[in-house]
Amino acid sequence: MADFQNCGSCSSSLLELFERVSAQGEKVRSLKAVKASTDEIDAAVKLLLSLKVTYKTATGQDYKAGSPPVDFSPVSSNGPAATQDEDFVDPWTVQTSNAKGVDYDKLIDRFGSSKIDKELINRIERVTGQTPHRFLRRGIFFSHRDMNQILDAYENKKPFYLYTGRGPSSEAMHVGHLIPFIFTKWLQEVFNVPLVIQLTDDEKYLWKDLTIQKASEYAIENAKDIIACGFDINKTFIFSDLDYLGMSPGFYKNVVKVQKHVTFNQVKGIFGFTDSDCIGKISFPAIQAAPSFSASFPQIFKDKKDIQCLIPCAIDQDPYFRMTRDVAPRIGYLKPALLHSVFFPALQGAQTKMSASDPNSSIFLTDTPKQIKTKINKHAFSGGKDTIEEHRKHGGNCEVDVSYMYLTFFLEDDDKLEQMKQAYTSGALLTGELKKVLIETLQPLIAAHQQRRKQVTDEMVKQFMTPRKLAFDF
């Protein structure tokens, strides 16, 4: 959330912010008028409320339609002015006007994290003795907090554990949801460490138009897809908040500790909550923070409170863990380390994340080979030119072409990827040919996932989700 400097030159930025709030209000009204989906309206309303909070922070005044700012008294002045061209990122909304997607270098500066550079990647390779994952080689995981501390601990034979999660908002997951799990599985294998996976069914009940029963059902179905990624049952604990919170005093005690050390004003500032949000939303960040502490899992770590946590996640989840890192020393725990990924783009372009509520924005893990082919051919945004002649002459733009973007995530061969980039950029490779490569890459990948998922039984899910000792001694 942007802050504004108290200076005369800020007035134009404040006017732009006023106009942005007005435009977002119009968007909400039009979505309601056309009876858009609940998820789409909720996302638009959430952005509107966040913009209004930003406006009040900048001006000291509530937003009033038709009354642009004249005099203003910023509440804080430790950040640059937001403009309509600036990316908007929070745990629920990702928006950018740039066809290339979010400017991640600016996001690193804004969030105060560190870039994953070649030196760090080389160190990971030296420490593990393994070729770095393609997500590291290609900058898909691009930012970190305290990864060098994790490597120091590993080299000194000190344990750490992994924590990642999934918000089960739909029965079927899409390929973008696989990214943190593919990478986390690699981390678990090369470092040989325990893993906890949080299913935030409570969060989805609070934010979405879902019953508790439906949120719980989605959690189980999503757990099957996560298990199908190939996690080791002896090293992995998957848990649902709605189930685990009631059976783990250690977990709940840590939730309460975090809640005591974060004020309502801090939560509003971090997450953009308003006075109209239910108290469940306001208290939820403490629940997402609690798995960062080993004491939340006594069945795995016994009474050890000093085992550091490494969290692979998309960068939009970072606000939760900035809060967690601020609280951790004050309640006697180590700060969690993080590895941040870029966003997986929608088929329509990199301006937004994929959405489980829009079937044409995503390739779902339940899609048939025919559906995959149709979606890519019909909906995947092209960086190619309008005619074959123009494309041959001027070439395509890989920076905005969704098919090429998807291949950076899923094509293992670096040399082949580079060859396609050069061929597409020069015009030798046409858009249809690039889409064909993506189709031939995704079809067997998703078919193999579907076969593995069929083998995941209810009993296997129960075993993964039963609190128990894992294959480690602490």
Side-chain angles (χ1 to χ4, degrees), residues 30 153 180 267 383 395:
S30 63
V267 168

Side-chain angles (χ1 to χ4, degrees), residues 398 403-404 407-408 411 413-429 433-434 437-438 441:
C398 288
S403 295
Y404 179 79
L407 286 169
T408 65
L411 186 65
D413 191 325
D414 289 341
D415 292 337
K416 185 175 180 181
L417 185 68
E418 180 60 28
Q419 289 168 7
M420 284 191 297
K421 181 179 181 179
Q422 293 179 6
Y424 193 63
T425 303
S426 69
L429 186 70
E433 295 168 332
L434 185 62
V437 175
L438 176 60
T441 300

Side-chain angles (χ1 to χ4, degrees), residues 200-242:
T200 56
D201 42 8
D202 53 343
E203 176 204 14
K204 295 310 172 185
Y205 170 70
L206 292 167
W207 262 267
K208 302 287 185 180
D209 186 18
L210 296 175
T211 63
I212 283 185
Q213 180 180 355
K214 183 59 69 176
S216 296
E217 290 173 1
Y218 287 168
I220 298 299
E221 292 304 312
N222 285 190
K224 292 178 180 178
D225 276 310
I226 293 167
I227 293 167
C229 291
F231 290 106
D232 187 337
I233 194 169
N234 297 311
K235 301 177 182 179
T236 306
F237 173 48
I238 303 173
F239 66 97
S240 144
D241 285 346
L242 289 174

Side-chain angles (χ1 to χ4, degrees), residues 157-349:
K157 310 299 181 185
K158 293 181 179 179
F160 72 93
Y161 72 100
L162 294 164
Y163 156 39
T164 193
R166 159 79 183 136
S169 59
S170 61
E171 183 174 351
M173 291 166 58
H174 58 59
V175 288
H177 293 139
L178 289 180
I179 303 308
F181 297 111
I182 291 171
F183 188 60
T184 300
K185 180 175 180 288
W186 180 82
L187 289 171
Q188 185 184 43
E189 289 173 348
V190 298
F191 287 106
N192 188 31
V193 291
L195 164 66
V196 297
I197 299 175
Q198 181 183 43
L199 299 173
T200 56
D201 42 8
D202 53 343
E203 176 204 14
K204 295 310 172 185
Y205 170 70
L206 292 167
W207 262 267
K208 302 287 185 180
D209 186 18
L210 296 175
T211 63
I212 283 185
Q213 180 180 355
K214 183 59 69 176
S216 296
E217 290 173 1
Y218 287 168
I220 298 299
E221 292 304 312
N222 285 190
K224 292 178 180 178
D225 276 310
I226 293 167
I227 293 167
C229 291
F231 290 106
D232 187 337
I233 194 169
N234 297 311
K235 301 177 182 179
T236 306
F237 173 48
I238 303 173
F239 66 97
S240 144
D241 285 346
L242 289 174
D243 288 337
Y244 187 61
L245 197 61
M247 67 174 72
S248 176
F251 191 94
Y252 183 62
K253 286 175 184 176
N254 282 333
V255 171
V256 174
K257 287 178 183 178
V258 174
Q259 288 173 339
K260 183 173 181 176
H261 288 80
V262 181
T263 68
F264 182 41
N265 278 338
Q266 286 174 315
V267 168
K268 287 197 293 184
I270 296 168
F271 299 101
F273 296 144
T274 69
D275 293 346
S276 61
D277 280 308
C278 72
I279 60 174
K281 291 183 179 181
I282 295 159
S283 63
F284 172 75
I287 298 173
Q288 186 156 323
S292 306
F293 311 127
S294 57
S296 294
F297 306 100
Q299 72 277 13
I300 300 173
F301 303 108
K302 295 186 177 178
D303 58 350
K304 298 290 182 64
K305 299 179 180 180
D306 59 349
I307 300 174
Q308 193 168 13
C309 176
L310 173 61
I311 307 170
C313 62
I315 188 85
D316 61 340
Q317 296 302 299
D318 189 70
Y320 283 111
F321 301 114
R322 291 203 301 275
M323 179 199 76
T324 306
R325 285 167 57 85
D326 178 65
V327 170
R330 292 186 278 145
I331 58 176
Y333 294 135
L334 296 173
K335 294 181 179 181
L338 288 99
L339 292 168
H340 300 125
S341 74
V342 301
F343 302 119
F344 195 83
L347 282 169
Q348 287 79 6

Side-chain angles (χ1 to χ4, degrees), residues 5-19:
Q5 297 176 347
N6 188 1
C7 62
S9 62
C10 290
S11 58
S12 60
S13 296
L14 288 170
L15 185 58
E16 289 172 357
L17 178 59
F18 174 85
E19 291 171 349

